[in-house]
Amino acid sequence: MDVLHERCAGVDISKRDAKACVRTPSTKRRGSFATETTTWGSTTNAVLALRDHLLAAEVTLVVIEATSDYWKPFYYLLAEDLNVILVNARQVKNLPGRKTDVSDAAWLAQLGAHGLVRPSFVPPQPVRELRDLTRTRTQMTRERGQIVQRLEKLLEDTGIKLAAVASDIMALISGERDPQVLADLAKRRLRNKIPELTEALTGRFRAHHAFLTRLHLDHYDQLTEAIGQLDARIEEAMTPFRPALDLLDTIPGINRAVAEVIIAETGGDMNRFASAKHLASWAGVCPGHHESAGRTKNAKVRPGNPYLKGALGLAAFGAARTKDTYLQARYKRLTARRGPLKALVAVEHSIITAIWHMLTDNVPYHELGGTYFTQRDPERATRRAINALNQLGYTVTLNPLEGTA
């Protein structure tokens, strides 16, 4: 097998230290290679010392396995002066039963020397900072939703059914207990449901429940304020990506927050993805390949970026509810045959494919319309409609409209 890098290093990283294996041509036997494995700490000074060690060995490639977040200080410091690539752990698995940190480092060096590893996507610093902001906002938004669920569980303990109706629970915390008074706090459309509210708000809300509810609401307000600060910071960080953000806003189902997450995770630059299929595979919204002896076995959707997949899921759910759109028609068409979950994944795939073409060609979203599939094959749509009516016991006679025959 050809050797692409005669001087290559593999670094296996853990929380406390890292094993660095330097693979160089042997001075004793021509055509063979010698390896030297050393242990280095994970502090900044130790990583800088490792960098000097690799520079002295004149390595042309350093392969680092992505392990949790422990790879970040090594990658960022070594990449300043060395050719460093980050590889996915699933693609560089060592032989079972022979796994140690030392052998892992040597295995990484050997794979890198022969060019058998593919580098993972590590965005530049501005995109990394934007990722940190959007991911933190996503986590805080989820925490805020969990607080609402805790409040509902707490009020279920009192017999108050806020999951079924809506009202102002601040009055409960301040000491008001009369269901009729609480029901009168309803606003707008809920004013028509005061009898139902009175029944639902009848319970045993004690000082104990008021104390816990107050804690949950204070935490909710803190998260809301923090999310507002993140929104302002993200808005500022999005300035260089404003054209891409405006393009994504034209896709049905994608709102401002979802578009910001998509740009933060992909970097807004499609040049690093060879095609729309590569982007869909990287995002984890396409089925995997598992074929043996001519038979295709279970091919589940491959794991991908969880934040990007979550944003695409929200976009697909919103697009499926947007009337008279191609994405809604695609969802309804697939739901009947494959089920709602697989139909949503298919819509996610359509969205990410559209995103690649839009950002590559710098064009807005082109809506095909909700009647796209019907117009594409009108005879098939006619047959399906007739079969559906026949199953209901009707006999159908078709008379084309004037001018359409």
Side-chain angles (χ1 to χ4, degrees), residues 141-205:
T141 303
R142 291 173 182 171
E143 292 177 12
R144 190 171 62 175
Q146 291 173 355
I147 292 175
V148 175
Q149 294 175 349
R150 295 191 190 106
L151 276 171
E152 290 182 358
K153 291 180 64 176
L154 178 62
L155 294 177
E156 284 288 338
D157 183 64
T158 69
I160 296 177
K161 301 294 183 178
L162 273 188
V165 297
S167 183
D168 188 355
I169 62 175
M170 295 299 294
L172 285 169
I173 301 170
S174 62
E176 182 59 54
R177 300 292 184 266
D178 188 349
Q180 185 62 45
V181 176
L182 294 172
D184 287 337
L185 296 174
K187 297 179 181 179
R188 293 185 291 274
R189 294 183 179 180
L190 287 177
R191 298 294 302 177
N192 299 327
K193 299 183 179 180
I194 288 182
E196 291 85 349
L197 288 172
T198 304
E199 183 68 22
L201 291 170
T202 301
R204 298 180 178 180
F205 194 89

Side-chain angles (χ1 to χ4, degrees), residues 245 248-249 251-261 314-315:
L245 190 64
L248 295 186
D249 278 341
I251 301 178
I254 293 185
N255 56 22
R256 196 75 169 183
V258 172
E260 290 170 349
V261 173
L314 292 175

Side-chain angles (χ1 to χ4, degrees), residues 16 19 58 79 101 124 130 205 221 307 321-322 340 352 363:
R16 294 184 178 181
K19 307 293 183 183
E58 299 180 350
D101 292 341
L130 181 59
F205 194 89
D221 292 339
Y307 293 93
R321 302 176 64 181
T322 305
I352 199 67
V363 294

Side-chain angles (χ1 to χ4, degrees), residues 256-279:
R256 196 75 169 183
V258 172
E260 290 170 349
V261 173
I262 293 174
I263 291 177
E265 299 301 328
T266 62
D269 183 11
M270 298 294 107
N271 292 328
R272 58 179 56 91
F273 302 104
S275 66
K277 295 181 178 179
H278 285 79
L279 176 59

Side-chain angles (χ1 to χ4, degrees), residues 11-19 40-44 47 50 64-78 84 86-87 101:
V11 182
D12 185 76
I13 301 172
S14 63
K15 184 176 182 179
R16 294 184 178 181
D17 56 27
K19 307 293 183 183
W40 305 83
S42 59
T43 61
T44 299
V47 178
L50 171 61
I64 297 178
E65 181 181 350
T67 306
S68 184
D69 289 330
Y70 306 142
W71 61 268
K72 291 184 177 181
F74 287 88
Y75 182 91
Y76 298 153
L77 292 176
L78 296 180
V84 183
L86 182 72
V87 297
D101 292 341

Side-chain angles (χ1 to χ4, degrees), residues 40 63 71 95 97 130 166 168 196 212 268 276 313 326 339 342 348 369 386:
W40 305 83
V63 181
W71 61 268
L95 295 177
L130 181 59
D168 188 355
E196 291 85 349
L212 291 177
Y326 164 80
K342 291 184 178 180
E348 293 174 14
I386 293 175

Side-chain angles (χ1 to χ4, degrees), residues 195-369:
E196 291 85 349
L197 288 172
T198 304
E199 183 68 22
L201 291 170
T202 301
R204 298 180 178 180
F205 194 89
R206 302 187 300 273
H208 166 73
H209 301 106
F211 172 76
L212 291 177
T213 304
R214 180 74 270 173
L215 288 180
H216 289 319
L217 288 179
D218 289 343
H219 191 193
Y220 183 93
D221 292 339
Q222 292 174 1
L223 289 175
T224 301
E225 182 180 357
I227 292 173
Q229 296 176 3
L230 286 170
D231 288 336
R233 193 65 179 262
I234 292 172
E235 181 71 20
E236 180 181 351
M238 275 290 172
T239 302
F241 308 99
R242 193 70 57 193
L245 190 64
D246 294 337
L247 290 177
L248 295 186
D249 278 341
T250 62
I251 301 178
I254 293 185
N255 56 22
R256 196 75 169 183
V258 172
E260 290 170 349
V261 173
I262 293 174
I263 291 177
E265 299 301 328
T266 62
D269 183 11
M270 298 294 107
N271 292 328
R272 58 179 56 91
F273 302 104
S275 66
K277 295 181 178 179
H278 285 79
L279 176 59
S281 177
W282 180 79
V285 292
C286 67
H289 295 288
H290 187 187
E291 181 180 345
S292 180
R295 295 180 58 186
T296 300
K297 300 184 179 180
N298 185 17
K300 296 181 179 179
V301 177
R302 66 180 301 275
N305 186 314
Y307 293 93
L308 180 57
K309 290 184 72 172
L312 290 175
L314 292 175
F317 187 75
R321 302 176 64 181
T322 305
K323 296 181 179 180
D324 300 327
T325 61
Y326 164 80
L327 296 176
Q328 185 191 50
R330 177 167 173 76
Y331 174 79
K332 290 182 177 180
R333 188 168 180 261
L334 294 175
T335 300
R337 294 186 290 113
R338 308 302 299 272
L341 295 181
K342 291 184 178 180
L344 278 177
V345 175
V347 174
E348 293 174 14
H349 185 274
S350 298
I351 291 176
I352 199 67
T353 301
I355 289 174
W356 187 88
H357 288 285
M358 291 167 58
L359 297 184
T360 300
D361 302 331
N362 194 27
V363 294
Y365 178 77
H366 175 62
E367 178 58 60
L368 298 176

